[in-house]
Amino acid sequence: MLEQIGEIEEMGIHEIRLHFTIEDTEETKRVIRIYADAFWRGQKTLTAAEVFADFTRGHYKRGIK
């Protein structure tokens, strides 16, 4: 979702949910920090593929409402 920040903001979405399953405490903190920097602080970040070895975009753009 890091690559879709502009699109998400244009849709008027003000909240996103990150779902953690197998991440340990340090990895969870790292992910939250990256998303906070990108979404809240407006800092340019790398793409998700560059930051994370394994990730999904959940239901985004899968037609789930």
Side-chain angles (χ1 to χ4, degrees):
M1 307 267 308
L2 293 170
E3 295 88 356
Q4 287 85 22
I5 290 174
E7 183 178 325
I8 291 168
E9 289 174 344
E10 286 176 12
M11 289 189 287
I13 295 173
H14 301 289
E15 297 177 4
I16 62 169
R17 179 177 131 185
L18 302 175
H19 182 80
F20 300 94
T21 54
I22 60 171
E23 296 79 8
D24 63 20
T25 301
E26 291 307 311
E27 182 71 6
T28 299
K29 287 179 183 179
R30 180 174 169 254
V31 171
I32 291 170
R33 191 175 316 112
I34 289 167
Y35 273 81
D37 287 346
F39 281 90
W40 293 338
R41 297 180 188 96
Q43 296 177 358
K44 176 72 173 132
T45 187
L46 301 171
T47 66
E50 293 170 316
V51 175
F52 309 110
D54 187 27
F55 69 95
T56 71
R57 289 186 176 85
H59 295 296
Y60 190 70
K61 291 200 172 189
R62 289 191 187 164
I64 305 299
K65 295 181 181 191

